[in-house]
């Protein structure tokens, strides 16, 4: 998928990596697709190995087990998402601009990396991979939203609203927009990366975000 | 869970069922929990049997395989959701009242039956259980929303908006609200059925729904 390749290029320059790192990254890419498609519980290291074209023991050389491999995938998703957001946020100053910039950045990130959208989507339903501390890797991303909402409320620009309600009610949208593209039946199929489709969804998100923080 | 028991009472009266139907329903209940918790791919009929206290062949007597069992669970969720919505909708006449009533009904249904919320949540991420026709059972529920939005747009009461964008941007909220209760870390934990919490989330949903269909 072209969009995903673009998103990945932001993070690394494959040509400059030593051979071991290239294999390691190939394992992570294959694992991200597999965890996205079948979920943590059903994913098997054998299938990751098959996709990369190596044998199972070669994965164990890089990652001791499925949990560690999953952890690295989830950590890399939230780290990349956060870096992407912070780059954009540097230009936004008042609370409303910050909120819209944050939501736009999440939307663009997820459209460019749909495997991340599916994995985050599963995090809401799964007790599995992050059982003890479900926000081990996502916490900084959640705190970004809490900080923006909190600053707007403190400045009297936003009505008092729970940041987690905004998360559930507004930020869930981009996840469904990306994940549902082929899940609503043939007649309702759409391309989340199509510029017209994306612009319409973004405009709707902006409306909802403004409504959520306005009295 | 008390809420779930209440939601189930709407659908059946256990005391009047013959013994075979009671076992069948116990299998369906256990399967719904398991599919909600681990997803379709990782769910095993052995675990359903263990939960019900019967042996695997007894499940096969009622359901030929995992796909058929899953189908019946998913079908029952959407049928119950639709019946719940239609009962409420009888009182709503203008398009805005219909939209808010529909969204309220979905919210209340999902709060009362969180296993349904988790299973629907997974449908957006999974290619698995409904691969060929992802909306085999959910289509009537989607058409309810399309009809309400379409009627509002046709009457000139709603601004032109894609029903599927409203689905992704607004209706996704209740799913996350229910599923995320324990998935956002100890400090952000909440009870989706708590009346104050639920009232605040419902008020936010109403704001978003109004904003979504207003120019």
């Amino acid at each position: 998928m072209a969009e995903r390749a673009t998103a990945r290029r932001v993070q690394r320059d494959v040509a400059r990596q030593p051979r071991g790192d290239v294999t390691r990254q190939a394992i992570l890419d294959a694992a991200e697709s597999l965890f996205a498609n079948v979920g943590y519980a059903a994913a098997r290291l054998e299938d990751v190995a098959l996709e990369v074209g190596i044998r199972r023991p070669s994965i164990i050389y890089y990652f001791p087990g499925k949990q560690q491999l999953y952890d690295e995938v989830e950590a890399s998703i939230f780290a990349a998402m956060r870096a992407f957001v912070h780059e954009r946020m540097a230009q936004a100053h008042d609370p409303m601009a910050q909120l819209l910039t944050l939501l736009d950045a999440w939307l663009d990130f997820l459209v460019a990396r749909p495997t991340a959208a599916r994995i985050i989507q599963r995090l809401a339903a799964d007790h599995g991979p992050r059982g003890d501390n479900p926000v081990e890797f996502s916490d900084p991303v959640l705190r970004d939203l809490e900080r923006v909402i909190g600053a707007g409320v403190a400045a009297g620009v936003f009505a008092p609203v729970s940041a987690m309600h905004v998360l559930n009610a507004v930020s869930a949208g981009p996840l469904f927009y990306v994940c549902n593209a082929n899940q609503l039946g043939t007649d309702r199929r759409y391309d989340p990366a199509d510029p017209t489709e994306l612009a319409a969804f973004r405009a709707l998100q902006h409306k909802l975000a403004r409504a959520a923080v306005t009295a």
Side-chain angles (χ1 to χ4, degrees), chain A:
Chain A
M1 284 180 278
E3 310 86 32
R4 220 181 115 205
T6 309
R8 286 288 157 67
R9 260 198 300 279
V10 178
Q11 303 157 54
R12 59 200 171 84
D13 185 341
V14 175
R16 292 196 191 159
Q17 291 177 331
R19 190 190 172 88
D21 288 358
V22 172
T23 304
R24 194 172 189 282
Q25 190 60 49
I27 294 169
L28 286 170
D29 287 352
E32 183 167 324
S33 289
L34 187 66
F35 288 130
N37 287 336
V38 306
Y40 177 79
R44 301 180 326 150
L45 289 184
E46 286 78 0
D47 296 324
V48 176
L50 199 68
E51 177 68 26
V52 178
I54 56 178
R55 289 171 342 121
R56 192 180 181 285
S58 307
I59 294 189
I60 304 299
Y61 171 81
Y62 294 97
F63 303 96
K66 185 165 83 163
Q67 177 77 50
Q68 290 83 356
L69 179 54
Y70 179 84
D71 284 358
E72 184 112 353
V73 167
E74 197 190 308
S76 87
I77 287 172
F78 285 113
M81 188 169 172
R82 194 144 190 258
F84 189 78
V85 165
H86 281 228
E87 199 177 305
R88 295 253 195 116
M89 293 281 279
Q91 269 80 57
H93 300 296
D94 68 287
M96 189 64 86
Q98 289 190 333
L99 179 59
L100 298 182
T101 303
L102 175 74
L103 294 173
D104 277 353
W106 285 2
L107 175 61
D108 290 329
F109 179 83
L110 296 170
V111 166
R113 194 163 165 176
T115 45
R118 299 194 116 72
I119 286 175
I120 297 174
Q121 179 84 342
R122 290 181 186 283
L123 282 176
D126 274 346
H127 293 289
R130 295 261 65 78
D132 286 346
N133 180 11
V135 293
E136 183 177 354
F137 302 119
S138 59
D139 192 64
V141 168
L142 296 174
R143 275 197 273 119
D144 284 340
L145 180 65
E146 285 171 329
R147 198 172 42 248
V148 169
I149 298 280
V153 173
V157 182
F158 294 170
V161 60
S162 147
M164 286 308 102
H165 282 192
V166 174
L167 180 83
N168 287 326
V170 183
S171 323
L175 290 172
F176 272 79
Y177 171 72
V178 172
C179 292
N180 262 342
N182 297 307
Q183 306 288 82
L184 299 172
T186 315
D187 298 343
R188 303 188 186 95
R189 199 166 279 168
Y190 58 86
D191 173 9
D194 173 81
T196 311
E197 191 84 46
L198 181 56
F201 189 80
R202 191 190 308 276
L204 178 56
Q205 275 273 296
H206 284 201
K207 267 192 194 179
L208 301 187
R210 287 180 193 280
V213 298
T214 306

